[in-house]
Amino acid sequence: MNAIVLMLLGIVAMFLGYAFYSKFIAEKIFKLDPNFRTPAHEFEDGVDFVPTNKFVLWGHHFTSVAGAAPIIGPAIAVIWGWVPAFLWVIFGTIFFAGVHDAGAIWASNRRQGKSIGALTGDVVGTRARTLFMIVIFLVLLMVNAVFATAISGLLINFPSAVVPVWGAIFVALIIGQLIFRKFMGLGAISILGVIALYALIFVGPEVPISLPETVMGVSDNAQWILILFGYAAIASLLPVWVLLQPRDYINGLQLFIGLILVYAAVLISGPEIVAPAINMDTPEGTPSMLPLLFVTIACGAISGFHGLVASGTTSKQIDKETDIRFVGYFGAVGEGSLSLATIIAATAGFATLADWQAVYHSFGQGGVAAFVTGGANILSAGIGLNTDISQTILTVMAVLFAGTTMDTGLRLQRYIFQEWSQIYDIKWMGKALPATLLAVGSCLLLAFGAGGADGSGGLLIWPLFGTTNQLLAGLTLLVITVMLVQRGRPMLYTLAPLMFLLIMTIFALIVQLQSFYLKADWFLFTLDLVILIAAIWIALEAGSTLRRLIKTGSTEQTQE
């Protein structure tokens, strides 16, 4: 099959989903009100609560939720064949992710910008909130620790990406001042920012930068991890308009242009998909596609991390409630487009089936490397870019996605500590600096405590990320569903994806539990069991709340 057909089917389907389904959800289910006073205006502080242009905010949301996961997940999952991965990404984006992301922003927007964890206490109960926030903390811990490892590996393997990756931060600082102080229009700022970023990409291969292999016994991988967390700590303390917003916005534009280049190259070169549609000859040790497909591809179909960003930072920057449709649902479409490009790169970017099988020789292979290699081959064949530049563009895309996720993830982890300080009346922990130090400290403890001097300890609990993340998405949909029932609105459009996710996630947790038991991996076995119990407990609590609300009936609430 030609990759052009797959690309057009996917893009058209997601466009129709945004044009029609998101409009229905926004107007008939969430009933977005342009006159509702959003938390960004009600609690405006110039640091976290800042009314923001919807295009700038879309850039923040899109790049924060994307990370490396919509590349890693699909590029691994095609081992089962491109058809299952493609169908889950397309239908997941339209009916799951878009509703989930927009719904999480709406729910938080209607409750003073509270995070989804804090919201659980309001709409379900304190026991559910406690369990939910533990799950949230684990997800953030995994994301921050592992993405730091992923970024450091890419910077070591592709030293040509160092200049454009770090140069993007300085470009963002300038862009932030220009936007906030309104020195010029957003269009002109956008053009200048994109030109600067792409200029850095072409400079990168000419000035490759590598850290020393060891400094005082610290490996280059560990050095990058320490640098990344130092940067993320500073970024999480700065007002959002200084670095977070402009970095995410300009990265969003640059990354979207990167996607356009990939898709244009596909149109020009028309590569054939060499991977099987459904792989009936998977390598030995490959787990069953059902249910593992639905937790291997999280970001790009639906991801609980999105709910953390949506209710943690995005909801605090919504200018008008009607912006939620564009920022939330279209942000999910942007990520779905990245996953679609990844599927194409990882299945049509190889010359032959044998070349593809050489990469996918065991489960877990592929990932970012398959995306960069396959995508670079397509760019070279389609638009004539040399291999070094093509690889640099795609590596920078992956690193910038992961980096913006780390920025937001550490800020969200700081919010978790601050919310715990309010819940348990620990006043010192409510301040930004101590909360940030606790967030960084917990990540470094996992990275170096479990991983030793190399700093890759986050990989220890990474096998549980997919299931924990999808569990979080299901629980976020639970909160949204309860809020809809409280207002007497139809719950089918959130309840259906919620039930599917909970079933698949609990199924996957049980499958993994058996696997950890057989391997005698008692740490992951215990952690899996704790997460499984938490999932069932929260589901029962929310189910009880839903039954009570349905039985007693609810009336529309116009203001909270």
Side-chain angles (χ1 to χ4, degrees):
M1 181 177 177
N2 194 285
I4 294 176
V5 177
L6 194 64
M7 182 190 76
L8 293 178
L9 285 174
I11 290 175
V12 169
M14 286 188 281
F15 170 77
L16 292 175
Y18 177 71
F20 298 104
Y21 191 63
S22 75
K23 187 173 188 291
F24 166 76
I25 293 294
E27 294 179 357
K28 304 299 182 183
I29 307 302
F30 297 141
K31 298 185 179 179
L32 303 182
D33 181 3
N35 297 315
F36 181 81
R37 192 180 184 210
T38 65
H41 289 282
E42 185 177 357
F43 305 111
E44 184 173 0
D45 60 6
V47 178
D48 296 318
F49 292 86
V50 179
T52 303
N53 177 286
K54 70 177 183 179
F55 295 102
V56 175
L57 187 54
W58 173 84
H60 158 70
H61 185 76
F62 167 49
T63 54
S64 293
V65 300
I71 296 173
I72 296 171
I76 290 175
V78 293
I79 198 168
W80 289 300
W82 60 263
V83 167
F86 173 78
L87 292 176
W88 176 226
V89 163
I90 300 306
F91 286 101
T93 295
I94 296 169
F95 298 108
F96 287 66
V99 176
H100 171 275
D101 285 24
I105 301 174
W106 166 77
S108 177
N109 185 66
R110 286 281 167 162
R111 292 296 182 102
Q112 297 83 47
K114 291 182 180 179
S115 74
I116 201 69
L119 274 176
T120 307
D122 292 347
V123 303
V124 180
T126 54
R127 284 189 301 246
R129 178 191 64 194
T130 300
L131 292 168
F132 203 168
M133 291 187 76
I134 291 172
V135 173
I136 290 170
F137 183 78
L138 284 173
V139 168
L140 289 172
L141 194 63
M142 293 177 192
V143 166
N144 291 333
V146 172
F147 277 23
T149 302
I151 295 170
S152 65
L154 286 169
L155 293 177
I156 291 169
N157 293 329
F158 299 97
S160 61
V162 173
V163 167
V165 165
W166 291 98
I169 296 170
F170 295 100
V171 173
L173 288 169
I174 296 170
I175 294 294
Q177 294 295 325
L178 293 176
I179 293 175
F180 186 75
R181 305 193 186 282
K182 299 179 180 179
F183 287 139
M184 62 178 70
L186 185 60
I189 292 172
S190 303
I191 292 170
L192 290 174
V194 168
I195 291 172
L197 287 182
Y198 272 93
L200 289 169
I201 286 175
F202 282 90
V203 170
E206 303 300 322
V207 191
I209 295 177
S210 298
L211 295 179
E213 289 190 10
T214 58
V215 173
M216 299 177 64
V218 180
S219 68
D220 51 358
N221 188 69
Q223 292 171 49
W224 275 125
I225 289 173
L226 290 171
I227 291 170
L228 286 164
F229 274 114
Y231 156 74
I234 295 170
S236 73
L237 289 168
L238 292 172
V240 290
W241 64 268
V242 172
L243 181 57
L244 187 71
Q245 279 181 0
R247 173 170 156 81
D248 291 355
Y249 172 66
I250 204 67
N251 283 350
L253 290 179
Q254 187 262 351
L255 296 165
F256 221 62
I257 291 170
L259 283 177
I260 291 171
L261 289 175
V262 172
Y263 285 136
V266 170
L267 281 174
I268 295 168
S269 63
E272 292 292 324
I273 297 174
V274 299
I278 298 177
N279 193 3
M280 305 301 293
D281 187 27
T282 55
E284 185 179 352
T286 302
S288 170
M289 181 176 69
L290 187 70
L292 269 298
L293 170 71
F294 301 101
V295 298
T296 302
I297 300 180
C299 295
I302 182 172
S303 165
F305 181 75
H306 292 207
L308 301 185
V309 176
S311 65
T313 58
T314 305
S315 65
K316 296 177 175 62
Q317 301 170 63
I318 288 289
D319 183 25
K320 295 181 180 179
E321 190 174 66
T322 46
D323 292 347
I324 290 174
R325 179 190 171 204
F326 180 79
V327 173
Y329 196 103
F330 194 63
V333 169
E335 190 176 65
S337 301
L338 174 61
S339 288
L340 175 61
T342 299
I343 292 170
I344 292 171
T347 58
F350 297 88
T352 66
L353 174 60
D355 291 336
W356 182 84
Q357 289 173 330
V359 173
Y360 288 90
H361 56 82
S362 64
F363 183 71
Q365 298 302 309
V368 175
F371 169 73
V372 171
T373 302
N377 290 337
I378 291 173
L379 283 174
S380 298
I383 56 180
L385 287 176
N386 69 52
T387 303
D388 285 343
I389 292 294
S390 298
Q391 287 185 340
T392 300
I393 289 174
L394 296 177
T395 302
V396 169
M397 281 179 63
V399 173
L400 290 182
F401 270 129
T404 51
T405 299
M406 258 194 81
D407 287 2
T408 303
L410 200 65
R411 187 179 286 261
L412 291 171
Q413 212 167 353
R414 186 246 291 177
Y415 290 164
I416 291 291
F417 280 109
Q418 289 179 308
E419 287 180 348
W420 276 339
S421 77
Q422 295 174 357
I423 294 169
Y424 301 110
D425 195 25
I426 308 174
K427 293 182 180 179
W428 66 268
M429 197 164 70
K431 297 178 181 178
L433 182 59
T436 300
L437 292 176
L438 286 171
V440 172
S442 61
C443 292
L444 291 178
L445 183 62
L446 173 62
F448 290 94
D454 193 44
S456 58
L459 297 174
L460 183 68
I461 60 175
W462 184 251
L464 281 171
F465 171 75
T467 45
T468 309
N469 187 45
Q470 296 302 69
L471 167 64
L472 187 57
L475 299 179
T476 299
L477 286 169
L478 265 176
V479 173
I480 298 168
T481 303
V482 171
M483 289 185 63
L484 289 173
V485 172
Q486 286 175 337
R487 289 155 182 76
R489 300 181 195 172
M491 63 177 180
L492 174 64
Y493 306 96
T494 54
L495 184 63
L498 151 65
M499 295 303 296
F500 180 85
L501 273 182
L502 283 183
I503 291 169
M504 287 300 165
T505 302
I506 291 174
F507 186 9
L509 282 167
I510 293 171
V511 169
Q512 287 185 312
L513 195 69
Q514 181 185 24
S515 173
F516 297 144
Y517 176 79
L518 293 175
K519 294 176 183 176
D521 190 335
W522 303 118
F523 174 74
L524 288 180
F525 177 87
T526 303
L527 193 56
D528 189 313
L529 189 61
V530 168
I531 294 169
L532 179 60
I533 292 170
I536 295 172
W537 195 337
I538 297 170
L540 290 174
E541 292 263 358
S544 174
T545 302
L546 275 174
R547 285 195 301 272
R548 185 176 68 252
L549 286 170
I550 293 170
K551 183 177 180 180
T552 58
S554 302
T555 57
E556 180 78 16
Q557 299 179 20
T558 57
Q559 184 80 17
E560 279 106 305

